[in-house]
Amino acid sequence: KRASAAEMQLARAFGYSERLIDRGFKAGSVRPLAGCSDPKNADFFSRFRTFEEIEAFLTSRICQLRQEIGSEGSQCEAVVIGTSVEGRPIYALEIRNPEALAAAKKQGKKERIALVTATLHAREWTATTSVLLSAVRLDVTDVSVVFVPVWNPDGYVHTWSGEKGYKKRWAKNELVTDEVPARMWRKNRKLNFDGTIGVDLNRNFGSSDLIWGTDKKSKSINFTES
């Protein structure tokens, strides 16, 4: 579906531009990206990928692929911005347009940066794929974009393990044990002081005075639980 005039006006206000990719492309279909393949010659986006496959794609393929499909004026760089509890790298992909940023600076504009993240919750594989595909196709002008496709690498790796594990949680001042298939794991893999495993990263921004995603009226004071 083509964006409305109002939607396009809003996008342009944030520095984005429209580029028609293919007039013959049908909505709902999936077009393979040339050269974006695994050893079996399958399209990278034809299935969900392991963390190791995503890591290889970010470090050795995605920026080259952006050039091949005709990204206009933007530069791409994959960097490590941190390390997980279990020692895995957390990757970010920065996309900037130096020429557009220089022109904006001459006009007295400050550089604006949009942050796009996925996989705070380990089991949400579709979000990971969506962010990676957006990172491949997006062109930028004077708004830089930083993508973090796997914010929770430890949890994501665990969801691929096939294990059937157990989750301990506090309920009414009692430690309760639930059986949780690895595929449905949400948190990271931090070993907590009370014997539970994992922190819900989506509930750990800010401080006790400003907690994102809550109304501060939760009956539970344990913000590592959903």
Side-chain angles (χ1 to χ4, degrees):
K1 181 181 177 182
R2 189 181 180 86
S4 66
E7 289 170 334
M8 287 306 306
Q9 184 178 3
L10 179 62
R12 294 188 188 103
F14 279 91
Y16 296 101
S17 60
E18 181 183 23
R19 178 163 62 96
L20 188 61
I21 296 176
D22 186 349
R23 293 182 182 276
F25 185 59
K26 295 180 179 179
S29 61
V30 178
R31 176 176 50 199
L33 298 172
C36 182
S37 60
D38 64 13
K40 297 181 180 180
N41 295 319
D43 175 18
F44 183 88
F45 294 100
S46 66
R47 62 178 175 83
F48 294 118
R49 297 289 174 168
T50 66
F51 178 73
E52 291 75 19
E53 289 175 313
I54 292 171
E55 182 178 32
F57 185 60
L58 286 170
T59 56
S60 63
R61 184 67 184 120
I62 190 169
C63 292
Q64 179 185 359
L65 181 60
R66 283 178 53 81
Q67 293 179 347
E68 292 175 2
I69 67 172
S71 296
E72 299 176 352
S74 57
Q75 292 183 350
C76 167
E77 183 181 11
V79 296
V80 176
I81 60 171
T83 305
S84 69
V85 171
E86 294 182 343
R88 293 182 177 88
I90 300 173
Y91 288 97
L93 188 77
E94 183 180 14
I95 300 175
R96 305 172 74 249
N97 188 322
E99 185 176 339
L101 288 172
K105 186 175 181 179
K106 288 182 179 179
Q107 298 174 8
K109 297 180 181 179
K110 294 183 178 180
E111 180 177 1
R112 294 170 292 173
I113 301 176
L115 175 64
V116 183
T117 69
T119 330
L120 275 165
H121 287 162
R123 64 192 179 197
E124 296 172 359
W125 293 1
T126 302
T128 310
T129 304
S130 298
V131 166
L132 285 168
L133 184 58
S134 298
V136 169
R137 295 194 179 279
L138 182 68
D139 275 338
V140 298
T141 53
D142 61 346
V143 178
S144 302
V145 181
V146 175
F147 293 96
V148 184
V150 187
W151 198 279
N152 179 6
D154 297 341
Y156 186 76
V157 169
H158 181 65
T159 62
W160 282 83
S161 69
E163 298 176 3
K164 183 175 288 187
Y166 298 90
K167 178 182 73 172
K168 295 180 180 180
R169 60 184 176 86
W170 287 98
K172 296 182 179 179
N173 298 320
E174 181 181 0
L175 192 60
V176 178
T177 301
D178 298 323
E179 185 177 278
V180 182
R183 176 63 186 89
M184 297 306 296
W185 188 261
R186 183 181 73 255
K187 305 176 183 181
N188 70 359
R189 298 294 294 169
K190 180 180 183 293
L191 178 61
N192 301 313
F193 70 92
D194 59 358
T196 61
I197 296 177
V199 172
D200 187 342
L201 301 179
N202 199 43
R203 293 192 172 210
N204 280 268
F205 291 94
S207 65
S208 58
D209 296 324
L210 179 63
I211 301 174
W212 297 7
T214 74
D215 57 8
K216 300 184 184 179
K217 297 178 182 178
S218 173
K219 294 180 181 179
S220 171
I221 62 172
N222 183 1
F223 288 99
T224 66
E225 292 293 339
S226 61

